[in-house]
Amino acid sequence: MTDPLEHILRLAFEIGPRPAAGEGERRAAEYIREKLEGFGFNVKVEEFRSPRSPSLFLAPVFVLALVGAVVAVVFDRDALGLLLAGIALVAFLGEITAALKLVTPFVARGRSQNVIARLAPKELPRRRLILVAHYDSPKPDLGWSPRLVRFRRPAFRLLWLSMILLPVAIAVSAATVVPQLAYAAVPFALVILVALALLVHRAIRYKPVHGANANASGVAVMLTLCQALAVDQPADTEVLALATGCQDVGAVGMQAFIKNHGDELERAWVVNIDSIGGGDVFYTTSEGMLLKHRTSEELREVAEKVAMLPGMEVAGRPYRLSVTDAEPVLLRRMDAISVMADNNGHPVNAHWRTDTVANIDPDTVDTAYRFTEAMVRRLIA
């Protein structure tokens, strides 16, 4: 059986950074395809188009909101300002939740791909198990720095509240015909301006990381588990391994899979493996940066039982810090859960320049593998 650390070394060190829709990402997809074919899976690579950075679709939204504020406050055009800020709010909520993509179709996009591999069961399939791990590596921003990451969730709450309250403040000014009330929108506009500045800083200042933890570690566990399942083939459960591209720009790869294979999520267990290269392993009880989605009750019950096995030291808790590939599935009220790892609620080196092979904790990777395999064995038994 291949050691997961070998896959991490190949993806994060030899291939290196794997930015969304970039050459490194394409090379990683080829490596994953070769490995899964070698295990005996039937593999298909499906292309899709995606923005290369979240800045491309978030920056226009923030600019539109700010223009709305300026129109209302400076030029006393409340109706027009409300319209612009309202459109920005709808676009923001739609992009963040992946429920309505108003901006993404109009920005520059590159080619990416999902690697989809299938292992047929010995008998007629009763259920489908979908193992998911994204293989692109992110670009850092100040919000992921070790000193500031604890403020990331509160800062995001402040941002989406500001996006909501900005048009509310303009609407109140318009309804009361008191121009001075429009100045109530200024604090919210300043928050959005800071968010825009951080996007520009991210685009100029940082390069994609090596992504040993996020998410070569998750891919490594998925590949090793697929190898084990190919050796001990399930009786009546089809195994589908899904390596997604462009997760860091809004789970675009998972959304492309759902668009093309949404019917395959019916009667399927989706187990997402993400950033398990350091810290304490946990399974998610709920997810979602903006909307809270409870993970699958059936999968949580299985995870809870496995977590009680000797030597596991795994707990269940919410994860609301960023988008995962499980979130688009949960949004559609289907069965999904994520296996992740962090340190006191914060990822270890993920999304930061220190996310290298040298900082991977083999014990955490081993725990994540043993826990995920035990979960999977119980599901397909």
Side-chain angles (χ1 to χ4, degrees), residues 212-213 277-279 348-349 352-362 364-365:
N213 185 17
V348 180
N349 298 309
W352 198 241
R353 291 169 291 192
T354 52
D355 190 5
T356 61
V357 174
N359 289 321
I360 288 291
D361 183 351
T364 303
V365 177

Side-chain angles (χ1 to χ4, degrees), residues 179-201:
Q180 290 77 9
L181 288 179
Y183 287 99
V186 172
F188 310 125
L190 290 176
V191 172
I192 297 168
L193 180 62
V194 170
L196 178 61
L198 289 174
L199 283 181
V200 174
H201 179 266

Side-chain angles (χ1 to χ4, degrees), residues 37-50:
E37 284 182 342
F39 300 155
F41 280 67
N42 181 14
V43 184
K44 181 179 181 181
V45 177
E46 291 187 350
E47 289 192 350
F48 60 89
R49 298 188 68 82
S50 168

